[in-house]
Amino acid sequence: MGKRIYLLVEKRQTHKKIQAFTKNEPTMFDTIGIETSEKCNRKCGFCPNSVYAQGQEEMPKALFERILIQLEKLKFNGTVVLYQYNEPLLDPRLEGFIAQTRGAIPNATIMFSSNGDYLNYERWINLRKSGLDFSVISQYDGKINNNIAEILKKLDEKEPLMVSIRSEKDLKSTRAGTINFSEIPLTPINEPCLRPFSQLVIRYTGKVIICCEDYLNQVIIGDTKIQTIESIWNSDQINKIRYELLQGKRRGICTKCNTTFKQSVDGCEWIATPRRHIYEKGKQSGGGL
């Protein structure tokens, strides 16, 4: 790892994880992404779903529970992200999955990101009662849509609902070469990437992919239907990828990724930030825009 990269991370949590890996010490993912279905109601231009249409398949409940049992045994207290390329609010099982997750790993942060199209005040309260800690609602129509504005009017400002207006022109990730083709690097970005050191991403099929950018499942590092998440995380396959990335050697789909090392560090550390917000009845109202 070059001096410039070292200086970028030496005072951050990231440095401890990289140090542990280089010393062959055991590590644990900070974030686990569990995609409970592939359903999405939008085809945003910055998302591969606009090119490769997604279906309606769901992760089997039994598989979700198999993953939870393992997280409970690991006493996982990081961040559980209940989405990937899907719209999580389209899954009617979401509240139940959140409640199960809270029961199994009570100290973990549970969150998801959504376009907010299927969210209203009553469902937000139910999500919070189920054990949801935090949610990001991204508004892609250039404004805060009416249903979200109504929710914000009723919520206290301290409620853990983050709303952002995002423009397609500001979202330039190539998703490992599947979208934003003009942004694909002409030559690989010869920098490390933190994502395989920090996140474990499970698609609705149970397959574990190299990172959140791998929409087409081109680099599968394991299958939670037949392997434990701990064995996948510590496999020779992913450790080889980590070692190469640490040297700034991007291969395969990583050559088409435009995420810099700094962006990977910032993104991983932001989503891994503990955000436990225990629901307290009667403290959700009274806010405004």
Side-chain angles (χ1 to χ4, degrees):
M1 185 168 61
K3 182 177 181 182
R4 184 179 71 83
I5 298 298
Y6 177 86
L7 292 174
L8 177 64
V9 300
E10 65 173 335
K11 295 182 180 180
R12 302 176 69 163
Q13 182 65 26
T14 303
H15 189 223
K16 295 179 181 179
K17 187 169 290 292
I18 291 175
Q19 276 191 322
F21 176 76
T22 57
K23 294 178 181 178
N24 292 318
E25 296 175 353
T27 66
M28 178 56 64
F29 41 89
D30 304 307
T31 301
I32 182 167
I34 306 174
E35 186 179 50
T36 66
S37 82
E38 64 171 334
K39 301 174 186 177
C40 189
N41 62 305
R42 291 198 176 215
K43 294 184 180 296
C44 302
F46 57 84
C47 178
N49 188 36
S50 63
V51 179
Y52 308 91
Q54 295 178 186
Q56 300 292 308
E57 294 294 322
E58 296 180 341
M59 174 180 281
K61 186 173 184 287
L63 178 55
F64 184 88
E65 292 171 344
R66 170 182 162 86
I67 294 167
L68 274 190
I69 289 171
Q70 295 173 62
L71 291 174
E72 184 176 16
K73 289 181 179 179
L74 292 170
K75 295 182 171 58
F76 182 68
N77 62 358
T79 299
V80 178
V81 182
L82 292 176
Y83 80 103
Q84 181 58 25
Y85 286 101
N86 61 314
E87 169 47 53
L89 293 173
L90 285 174
D91 192 337
R93 306 170 300 171
L94 182 59
E95 286 87 340
F97 283 158
I98 291 172
Q100 285 183 282
T101 304
R102 175 59 61 222
I105 42 177
N107 296 319
T109 295
I110 305 172
M111 68 160 292
F112 65 78
S113 182
S114 165
N115 59 41
D117 290 349
Y118 293 88
L119 187 64
N120 56 37
Y121 178 76
E122 289 72 23
R123 188 162 194 196
W124 172 254
I125 295 301
N126 286 334
L127 288 163
R128 291 282 284 125
K129 286 180 178 179
S130 299
L132 181 71
D133 292 304
F134 178 68
S135 182
V136 178
I137 304 299
S138 297
Q139 301 283 267
Y140 299 119
D141 298 324
K143 61 182 179 65
I144 296 179
N145 293 327
N146 291 338
N147 64 315
I148 303 301
E150 288 301 312
I151 295 171
L152 293 176
K153 288 178 181 178
K154 296 178 180 179
L155 291 182
D156 185 273
E157 292 179 356
K158 293 182 180 180
E159 265 295 276
L161 178 65
M162 177 181 172
V163 179
S164 64
I165 299 174
R166 307 182 73 182
S167 168
E168 290 190 11
K169 67 180 181 180
D170 299 325
L171 299 167
K172 296 297 185 181
S173 170
T174 65
R175 296 297 186 186
T178 58
I179 205 68
N180 285 326
F181 303 111
S182 64
E183 302 294 328
I184 297 175
L186 296 178
T187 57
I189 299 174
N190 293 318
E191 293 183 2
C193 179
L194 179 67
R195 282 176 174 154
F197 292 86
S198 179
Q199 60 179 222
L200 189 74
V201 181
I202 306 173
R203 299 301 305 269
Y204 67 95
T205 58
K207 299 292 179 62
V208 179
I209 54 177
I210 182 174
C211 80
C212 60
E213 301 289 346
D214 187 9
Y215 178 85
L216 293 178
N217 309 321
Q218 296 178 77
V219 183
I220 295 173
I221 62 169
D223 187 342
T224 56
K225 294 192 298 295
I226 57 175
Q227 296 170 272
T228 66
I229 53 179
E230 191 172 17
S231 67
I232 295 170
W233 179 254
N234 293 309
S235 69
D236 291 341
Q237 180 187 1
I238 190 59
N239 279 333
K240 180 181 178 182
I241 293 170
R242 289 175 184 137
Y243 180 79
E244 291 181 340
L245 283 174
L246 201 56
Q247 310 306 312
K249 297 177 181 178
R250 300 197 180 194
R251 306 185 190 281
I253 65 170
C254 299
T255 63
K256 299 178 181 180
C257 182
N258 61 345
T259 300
T260 66
F261 182 56
K262 184 178 186 304
Q263 288 172 332
S264 75
V265 172
D266 291 344
C268 287
E269 292 198 349
W270 185 86
I271 203 165
T273 300
R275 293 184 172 88
R276 285 288 286 113
H277 289 279
I278 298 172
Y279 176 83
E280 296 183 61
K281 186 177 180 180
K283 292 192 175 183
Q284 285 65 50
S285 61
L289 288 169

